[in-house]
Amino acid sequence: MRFIIEILLTGLAFFIGASFLVPGVHIDSYGSAIIASVLIALANATIGFILRLLTFPINFLTLGLVSFIITVLMVLLVDNMMTSFNTSGFISAAFLAIIVALLKAIFNAIAGEKE
């Protein structure tokens, strides 16, 4: 159940971030935001994981900056896969990644961690 709630909140974060906070990003609907967030999570779990393993020494030296760049590249990959999710380039995708991470942190702080 927690997994489904996490997906819905991530979709909400994408929809809010894209619709209101980040210029240059457009998502057609909340359903498209959920699909985009799931695809980005899958891309990060597969391709992103492999890229993070290959770039670990550089990632270590840059204190995680390369990991953030990989996440932005996964957002751009999903942008190319979907017609209902559009970004205007790397900078808007980077701002979207930052806003979504901040919104997810706020949602998790409000919901609280249950163990």
Side-chain angles (χ1 to χ4, degrees), residues 2-115:
R2 178 130 175 103
F3 179 69
I4 294 171
I5 293 171
E6 184 74 25
I7 289 174
L8 294 175
L9 287 177
T10 304
L12 182 64
F14 264 92
F15 192 64
I16 290 171
S19 298
F20 304 110
L21 301 175
V22 180
V25 178
H26 177 74
I27 296 180
D28 289 344
S29 66
Y30 180 64
S32 296
I34 290 175
I35 293 169
S37 65
V38 169
L39 288 176
I40 290 170
L42 288 173
N44 268 327
T46 56
I47 301 167
F49 177 73
I50 294 168
L51 289 175
R52 283 180 184 85
L53 281 177
L54 294 174
T55 61
F56 177 73
I58 299 168
N59 198 10
F60 182 75
L61 291 173
T62 61
L63 303 174
L65 181 63
V66 173
S67 184
F68 174 71
I69 291 171
I70 290 171
T71 300
V72 173
L73 291 174
M74 296 304 111
V75 171
L76 291 172
L77 176 69
V78 172
D79 170 29
N80 285 328
M81 290 171 32
M82 293 182 64
T83 57
S84 58
F85 170 59
N86 298 309
T87 61
S88 63
F90 186 85
I91 300 296
S92 61
F95 282 130
L96 178 66
I98 291 169
I99 294 296
V100 167
L102 290 174
L103 288 173
K104 282 181 64 177
I106 291 169
F107 292 157
N108 285 334
I110 291 170
E113 291 293 323
K114 293 183 181 179
E115 299 193 23

